[in-house]
Amino acid sequence: MVKSMTGFGRAVAEYDGYIITFEIKSVNHRYFEFSSKVPRQYGFLDEKIKSYVNSKISRGKIECFIGIDALNTEAAEVVVNNTLARAYVNAFKELEENYGLKADYGVSTVARYPDVLAVKKAEEDEEALWSFVKATADIAIDKFVEMRSTEGEKLYRDIESRAQYILECVSYIEERSPETVKEYNDKLVERVHELIGDVSLDENRIIQEVAVYADKVAVAEETVRLRSHIDQLGSFLNSDEPVGRKMDFLVQEINREANTIGSKANDVSIARKVVDIKAEVEKIREQIQNIE
């Protein structure tokens, strides 16, 4: 069944001294657009996450947040940037000498300045860390897909009901169209009688005129194609593959057939049904923009 492009999933898990948080959300988009927020020191995960998410999700504007907290800090070491610290101390001395200021700075003062102290950690196992992130991502993505499926079911029901109504309109047009030809024949005969009185009619001429009219207003080909398109739309709705773009194209074809019927039909009731079809097609088109 079709899936919506709107969804959210979140998971938090602990693996071998790491707490991993993975959040994923998406909104409608014509293609796959991805952005992520990963802690700077774990930037090597960015492309891996993008590729992995894309293997699970084909369409939508996707945003991911990844939090990584290392619980094991025994291997961490605080190091001094001596070059920068020396520069700060020399600047303080210069201020002291040039302006007669009191030398009230100490270790804590210098240490507060940016990048004077840095935390140096032991090199981490990137592959192991990626396996932790991927395992957490799987949990979040499962929740995300479940939400998309729930929303997709609502879209399915709405589009299916509208498609059924379109078929009802098509059935009416198929039944009504032959009647318009008969009515045209009767009106033509009546009009000729008004013009020439009781003089015998040229039946062959009448038949030719009616045949030309019948050919002009015939919509059988269009209704057959409409039924075919609606049937294909139903197949797409029941597909587990991403079909949003295909459905968008198919709806354009449905609208084109409706326009053709509207241009051919010389009947008010058929014209009204065409308007109803076009209204439903437009609503279906809006819903399809939400389908993956």
Side-chain angles (χ1 to χ4, degrees), residues 14 41 45 70 119 128 135 142 173 241 258 275:
E14 182 176 339
Q41 65 270 35
L45 292 171
V119 178
D142 284 347
I173 291 169
E241 300 296 321
V275 170

Side-chain angles (χ1 to χ4, degrees), residues 151-184:
E151 293 297 317
E153 187 175 348
K154 295 177 183 177
L155 294 172
Y156 173 94
R157 290 198 297 267
D158 183 78
I159 294 173
E160 186 182 43
S161 66
R162 297 186 187 282
Q164 287 303 313
Y165 179 69
I166 290 174
L167 286 178
E168 291 174 14
C169 292
V170 170
S171 295
Y172 176 87
I173 291 169
E174 289 171 334
E175 293 174 5
R176 175 63 186 158
S177 185
E179 291 297 318
T180 64
V181 177
K182 182 178 181 301
E183 290 171 6
Y184 177 78

Side-chain angles (χ1 to χ4, degrees), residues 35-84:
S35 63
S36 64
K37 293 182 180 179
V38 182
R40 186 172 59 181
Q41 65 270 35
Y42 301 112
F44 64 90
L45 292 171
D46 225 349
E47 281 302 315
K48 292 178 180 289
I49 294 169
K50 180 180 179 179
S51 297
Y52 190 66
V53 170
N54 197 12
S55 70
K56 304 279 187 177
I57 303 160
S58 64
R59 193 174 176 218
K61 185 176 182 180
I62 314 294
E63 294 182 6
C64 288
F65 167 79
I66 298 88
I68 302 174
D69 295 318
L71 302 179
N72 295 332
T73 57
E74 294 84 356
E77 179 185 359
V78 178
V79 296
V80 178
N81 186 332
N82 288 295
T83 302
L84 188 58

Side-chain angles (χ1 to χ4, degrees), residues 54-55 70 72 76 85 125 141 156 222 237 273 289:
N54 197 12
S55 70
N72 295 332
D125 186 335
I141 290 173
Y156 173 94
E222 288 76 13
L237 284 172
K273 289 299 180 182
Q289 303 311 310

